[in-house]
Amino acid sequence: DIQMTQSPSSLSASVGDRVTITCRASQSISSYLNWYQQKPGKAPKVLIYAASSLQSGVPSRFSGSGSGSEFTLTITSLQPEDFATYYCQQTYMTPPFTFGPGTKVDIK
Amino acid sequence: QVQLVESGGGVVQPGRSLRLSCAASGFTFSTYAMHWVRQAPGKGLEWVAVMSYDGGNKYYADSVKGRFTISRDNSKNTLYLQMDSLRAEDTAVYYCARREAVGPNVRFDNWGQGTLVTVSS
């Protein structure tokens, strides 16, 4: 099975900051990589799919990049509603479609 | 609008069984593959199982293989997860999620609110 790692596991940032989260796969997964945002007590919400495609309705301050085994989620100007936990997920070939361990973004 | 509503969670003793349901509305359920994803308290997301749109294909995480069974009734727009031989480590919020695909790129574009399963004596 493909294993996913994320760094950092948590970060503290201020409103307006640029935030970057990295996700690595244990093997090449081409661009089969999604990013989700989850707030406490809520279901995850997809932000980015296919590594760099913005899900409909998601603000353009979110962007994704990468291919192969290393990927990045960037939030260009952090907003108060962006404080949450972010997960990457690989959907390469057949299941299991594993998630990364998550990155918690909180207020500095 | 798309709506997914899970039910069936609760407190169950180790070794016992529970069946979760996910009622779908607002879309043509019979044309979408559906997934179960779980989240243990304070932990990350764990993919559990998937069933194809017609029930012809199903996959499971190794952690539940042989104990959990995913099924669906397209006439009732409902997805199920039969959980047998439950263990303490199965304690989690269980979400159902709709699989959306653009070509080969799959994402989970709609999720239910989750149902909590607690396995405890």
Side-chain angles (χ1 to χ4, degrees):
Chain A
D1 294 352
I2 298 172
Q3 309 302 316
M4 307 300 292
T5 60
Q6 287 182 234
S7 60
S9 56
S10 65
L11 65 91
S12 295
S14 301
V15 173
D17 283 354
R18 179 186 181 93
V19 169
T20 299
I21 299 168
T22 298
C23 175
R24 290 185 176 87
S26 59
Q27 66 178 72
S28 175
I29 57 171
S30 185
S31 296
Y32 297 101
L33 191 284
N34 304 322
W35 289 99
Y36 298 84
Q37 176 194 66
Q38 186 181 34
K39 296 180 180 179
K42 300 294 186 182
K45 168 188 168 184
V46 63
L47 302 175
I48 301 288
Y49 65 95
S52 60
S53 295
L54 192 67
Q55 176 73 4
S56 176
V58 173
S60 59
R61 63 181 180 272
F62 292 94
S63 64
S65 64
S67 66
S69 61
E70 186 162 331
F71 303 86
T72 299
L73 174 70
T74 300
I75 311 171
T76 52
S77 177
L78 199 66
Q79 297 301 300
E81 59 269 29
D82 301 336
F83 292 98
T85 300
Y86 295 85
Y87 295 92
C88 61
Q89 178 202 29
Q90 66 81 18
T91 58
Y92 182 69
M93 301 291 280
T94 56
F97 292 151
T98 42
F99 291 89
T103 295
K104 185 177 181 180
V105 177
D106 61 20
I107 302 171
K108 184 183 288 184
Chain B
Q1 73 283 16
V2 173
Q3 194 167 14
L4 298 170
V5 179
E6 300 94 339
S7 61
V11 180
V12 61
Q13 293 178 329
R16 304 297 291 264
S17 299
L18 206 59
R19 189 177 84 156
L20 306 183
S21 299
C22 169
S25 60
F27 66 103
T28 306
F29 179 72
S30 61
T31 64
Y32 285 85
M34 295 293 296
H35 295 255
W36 287 100
V37 176
R38 68 184 181 182
Q39 186 169 37
K43 303 297 184 182
L45 302 170
E46 180 187 13
W47 177 84
V48 173
V50 58
M51 174 163 268
S52 60
Y53 70 99
D54 61 356
N57 288 292
K58 56 185 87 171
Y59 294 88
Y60 299 92
D62 286 346
S63 59
V64 307
K65 202 173 295 182
R67 300 188 299 120
F68 289 12
T69 303
I70 189 172
S71 62
R72 64 192 296 160
D73 185 338
N74 285 344
S75 68
K76 296 182 178 179
N77 292 340
T78 302
L79 178 74
Y80 302 101
L81 186 68
Q82 176 67 39
M83 304 186 295
D84 298 324
S85 303
L86 282 161
R87 305 168 180 167
E89 54 265 37
D90 296 318
T91 294
V93 173
Y94 285 75
Y95 297 99
C96 62
R98 188 180 80 165
R99 171 196 182 273
E100 177 64 278
V102 176
N105 291 295
V106 170
R107 64 193 182 273
F108 298 178
D109 70 335
N110 281 274
W111 298 62
Q113 84 289 350
T115 188
L116 176 63
V117 173
T118 302
V119 184
S120 174
S121 54

